[in-house]
Amino acid sequence: FQPDASADPDRFGELLQRTYVGSQDCPQLNGVRDSADILAGYREQGTFQAETWFTVQQDDRDVGALILAVHEDTGNWELVYMGLVPAARGAGLGREVLEFGMWQAKQGGAERLVLAVDQSNQPALDMYEQSGFIAWDYRTVYARIAR
């Protein structure tokens, strides 16, 4: 886990785009925003702290991303985004990324780690439930994509 992934926005943005390929989390939004817009959106979540943005590496290759944000007013840390490139999926690395994120939040003094997930992303829902997460709220997100 390499911290301060936001220090090289071109590299991190390209990695994020690769993690979206084949993703089951809001796939309708893939390709709608460019990397700069994606990074700006993630930066707006909670209090931006560069050291909580991670590049996940395996065999010296960038294979995933983890973005955490602190919400100081609530005691929450948020798992804003985690994703793996398609070739790194299915071997348990996602669970390692999640466990690392939970550890980071605990080390940072979080009372809770919260996240949002697409209700149709069953593999992610299963992983979060197996890791002790509970459903807390449900929301509907609407987006109109201007072409």
Side-chain angles (χ1 to χ4, degrees), residues 65-98:
L66 172 65
I67 300 173
L68 301 166
V70 178
H71 295 269
E72 294 165 351
D73 55 330
T74 63
N76 292 344
W77 274 46
E78 180 181 0
L79 192 160
V80 175
Y81 180 75
M82 66 174 274
L84 298 170
V85 299
R89 295 179 190 149
L93 186 55
R95 186 168 308 281
E96 287 184 47
V97 173
L98 178 59

Side-chain angles (χ1 to χ4, degrees), residues 34-90:
D34 64 22
S35 295
D37 189 37
I38 291 166
L39 291 171
Y42 288 150
R43 207 171 279 117
E44 293 297 317
Q45 304 302 310
T47 302
F48 170 70
Q49 296 179 347
E51 64 273 11
T52 64
W53 287 39
F54 297 90
T55 299
V56 179
Q57 293 187 325
Q58 188 175 52
D59 300 324
D60 294 322
R61 291 182 326 227
D62 295 346
V63 297
L66 172 65
I67 300 173
L68 301 166
V70 178
H71 295 269
E72 294 165 351
D73 55 330
T74 63
N76 292 344
W77 274 46
E78 180 181 0
L79 192 160
V80 175
Y81 180 75
M82 66 174 274
L84 298 170
V85 299
R89 295 179 190 149

Side-chain angles (χ1 to χ4, degrees), residues 2-131:
Q2 301 297 315
D4 199 12
S6 65
D8 187 345
D10 292 336
R11 176 181 168 194
F12 197 57
E14 185 271 333
L15 174 60
L16 289 173
Q17 294 284 10
R18 289 191 297 129
T19 68
Y20 294 164
V21 173
S23 172
Q24 295 184 41
D25 234 13
C26 304
Q28 305 86 341
L29 298 179
N30 290 350
V32 172
R33 302 180 299 161
D34 64 22
S35 295
D37 189 37
I38 291 166
L39 291 171
Y42 288 150
R43 207 171 279 117
E44 293 297 317
Q45 304 302 310
T47 302
F48 170 70
Q49 296 179 347
E51 64 273 11
T52 64
W53 287 39
F54 297 90
T55 299
V56 179
Q57 293 187 325
Q58 188 175 52
D59 300 324
D60 294 322
R61 291 182 326 227
D62 295 346
V63 297
L66 172 65
I67 300 173
L68 301 166
V70 178
H71 295 269
E72 294 165 351
D73 55 330
T74 63
N76 292 344
W77 274 46
E78 180 181 0
L79 192 160
V80 175
Y81 180 75
M82 66 174 274
L84 298 170
V85 299
R89 295 179 190 149
L93 186 55
R95 186 168 308 281
E96 287 184 47
V97 173
L98 178 59
E99 288 175 4
F100 179 79
M102 293 188 303
W103 181 80
Q104 285 290 310
K106 182 177 180 180
Q107 295 301 112
E111 294 175 32
R112 285 167 298 281
L113 179 62
V114 299
L115 56 88
V117 63
D118 187 327
Q119 279 300 115
S120 65
N121 187 346
Q122 197 60 52
L125 290 168
D126 292 344
M127 181 178 67
Y128 297 137
E129 186 176 301
Q130 290 166 7
S131 296

